[in-house]
Amino acid sequence: MSATSHPFACANCGTPLNGSFCHACGQRAHVHTSLLHLGEEFLHGLLHFDAKGLRTLPMLVAKPGQLTRRYIDGQRTRFVSPLALFLFMVVTMFFVASVTDSKWREQSPEAVARLKVEFDASVLQSQARVDRARTALAAIRQQGGEADSAQEELDDALEMLASMQSSRKELDGPGAGQPRRKSFSGWKKFDDASKHVADNPDLTAYKFKSAGSKYSFLLVPLSLPFLWLLFWRRRDVTMYDHAVFTLYSLSFMALLSSLLFVLVRFGMEMLAMWAILGVPPIHMYAQLRGTYKLGRWSALWRAGALLCIAASVLALYMVILMKLSAQ
C-alpha cells in the first residue's frame, strides 16, 4: 500500500476527522508510506518548492517590489516566506562558494613557474637600477656635487629590490603563489588578527565560511535601523515591512552571489564585474518602488542611499566575521 487511511482520527494529533484534512493540525487523513512520496516530501519540506517556489523565484528576480508588497499585504500562502527563502539562499550561496572556490583558487605548477620567471626578470631589472643609481651617486660625490637627489634614487631602488626579492622568495615557500600580506594599521589587535589570517589562510577561510553561514542573520538587524531612517516620516510603514523587504533583498543578493561564483569559476570575470556593478542598483530601485509605492525620483535617491547603506552594513559584517574567524 502507498497510503494508510485513518478514517476516524488524525494520526498526528488524534482529533476526530471530518474530511480529507484534520481541521486542528492540517494533516491529511491519508498518510503516504511510499518511497517516492518520501522524496516528494523532502523537496516540499526543503523550500515548499511546488507552486510556491515557482511563483516566488521569478518574481524575486523580475518583480521584487510586487513580491514584497503582496506578501506584506497578506498573500502568504502563495509565496515562500522571506525568512525561509533567505535561509535557503544563504545555504545555497555558501555551498556554491565552497564548490567553486576549491577549484578557481588552485594554481597549477605551470602558473607558478611563469610567476617565478616574471619575478626573476623583475629582480634583475631592480638590481640593474640599483647599480645605475650607485654609479651615479658615486660620480656626483666624486665631482663634489649635490647628492641628495641621487641618494633618494638609490634608496628607492634598494627598497624596490628588497620588495621584489621578498616576493620572489615567497613563491618557493609554503604560501607559493599567494600574495604577500602586511598590516600597517598601527592597531595591535587588528594587526595581530591580520597576521593570524595571513599565517593560517586555509583555516581562516574555513572559519570565515562557517561563521558567514551561521551569522548571516546579523545582516537583518544591522540593516533595519538604516532602512527605517529612509522612511522615518512614513507612518504607514512599519518595521515588519522593512524586515520583509530586507529578507527578500538579501535572498536575491545571495542568489546573485551564487551566480557570480559560477561565472568566476568558468573564467567570465568581466561579466561578473558588470553584474556586480549593474544588477544590485536596478534590483534595489525596483524593489523600493514596488514595496513602498514610491515615485521615480523618490525611489531613485533612496536606491542610491540604500547602496551606501548596504556597503556599510556589508563592511561591518565582514569585520565581525574576520574577528570571529581570527579567534
Side-chain angles (χ1 to χ4, degrees):
M1 288 181 65
S2 61
T4 301
S5 178
H6 296 267
F8 302 111
C10 174
N12 181 55
C13 64
T15 302
L17 293 171
N18 185 20
S20 300
F21 294 88
C22 174
H23 68 274
C25 68
Q27 178 168 291
R28 288 179 178 272
H30 294 279
V31 181
H32 292 269
T33 58
S34 68
L35 185 61
L36 180 62
H37 189 75
L38 183 63
E40 181 183 339
E41 287 182 339
F42 170 75
L43 291 177
H44 185 272
L46 186 63
L47 187 60
H48 297 290
F49 210 89
D50 46 9
K52 279 189 178 183
L54 294 177
R55 276 192 294 263
T56 304
L57 288 180
M59 290 190 68
L60 178 69
V61 174
K63 299 179 179 179
Q66 185 181 133
L67 169 65
T68 310
R69 185 71 259 165
R70 291 174 67 176
Y71 191 89
I72 292 173
D73 288 342
Q75 297 185 27
R76 309 293 167 79
T77 61
R78 296 178 59 83
F79 306 108
V80 179
S81 72
L83 181 58
L85 188 63
F86 170 69
L87 295 175
F88 178 81
M89 287 303 172
V90 167
V91 172
T92 301
M93 179 184 69
F94 280 97
F95 172 76
V96 174
S98 298
V99 171
T100 55
D101 178 70
S102 62
K103 296 177 181 178
W104 70 262
R105 281 181 56 202
E106 291 178 357
Q107 291 190 348
S108 65
E110 293 79 7
V112 175
R114 286 195 298 270
L115 282 174
K116 290 181 179 180
V117 171
E118 293 174 1
F119 270 104
D120 288 339
S122 298
V123 169
L124 290 176
Q125 292 176 0
S126 298
Q127 184 63 60
R129 181 186 172 191
V130 169
D131 294 339
R132 290 193 301 270
R134 280 176 175 165
T135 301
L137 178 62
I140 292 174
R141 285 177 174 174
Q142 187 176 4
Q143 296 172 3
E146 183 64 38
D148 290 346
S149 178
Q151 183 64 54
E152 290 180 2
E153 171 64 19
L154 177 59
D155 292 341
D156 290 342
L158 287 171
E159 184 178 353
M160 177 63 71
L161 176 61
S163 177
M164 297 304 300
Q165 289 175 334
S166 177
S167 298
R168 176 61 180 84
K169 287 179 181 179
E170 290 184 0
L171 290 175
D172 295 322
Q178 297 294 330
R180 207 167 65 154
R181 303 174 179 89
K182 293 183 179 180
S183 297
F184 302 102
S185 68
W187 182 16
K188 186 177 183 304
K189 289 186 177 181
F190 180 82
D191 290 344
D192 290 344
S194 299
K195 184 177 184 302
H196 177 81
V197 170
D199 293 340
N200 304 275
D202 294 333
L203 177 61
T204 301
Y206 171 78
K207 288 184 176 181
F208 190 84
K209 292 176 184 177
S210 178
S213 59
K214 288 179 181 177
Y215 299 102
S216 57
F217 66 89
L218 287 176
L219 289 168
V220 179
L222 289 175
S223 303
L224 287 180
F226 298 102
L227 194 58
W228 174 82
L229 286 174
L230 294 179
F231 297 93
W232 68 276
R233 289 186 177 182
R234 290 274 300 267
R235 302 302 179 188
D236 60 321
V237 177
T238 67
M239 289 299 288
Y240 176 82
D241 300 346
H242 297 324
V244 174
F245 177 94
T246 302
L247 287 168
Y248 274 139
S249 181
L250 290 174
S251 298
F252 174 80
M253 296 307 167
L255 177 62
L256 177 62
S257 298
S258 300
L259 176 60
L260 295 178
F261 290 139
V262 174
L263 290 177
V264 173
R265 166 65 183 89
F266 289 100
M268 292 181 279
E269 291 87 355
M270 186 60 66
L271 180 59
M273 183 188 72
W274 283 111
I276 291 174
L277 295 175
V279 174
I282 295 173
H283 192 271
M284 288 181 180
Y285 170 81
Q287 189 177 9
L288 280 168
R289 192 174 182 192
T291 301
Y292 300 104
K293 300 178 180 179
L294 302 173
R296 291 182 180 179
W297 169 246
S298 182
L300 189 61
W301 77 260
R302 282 185 171 89
L306 189 58
L307 280 172
C308 297
I309 291 171
S312 301
V313 169
L314 182 60
L316 179 59
Y317 178 66
M318 297 296 283
V319 169
I320 294 173
L321 291 189
M322 288 292 291
K323 177 64 177 177
L324 295 171
S325 303
Q327 292 177 352

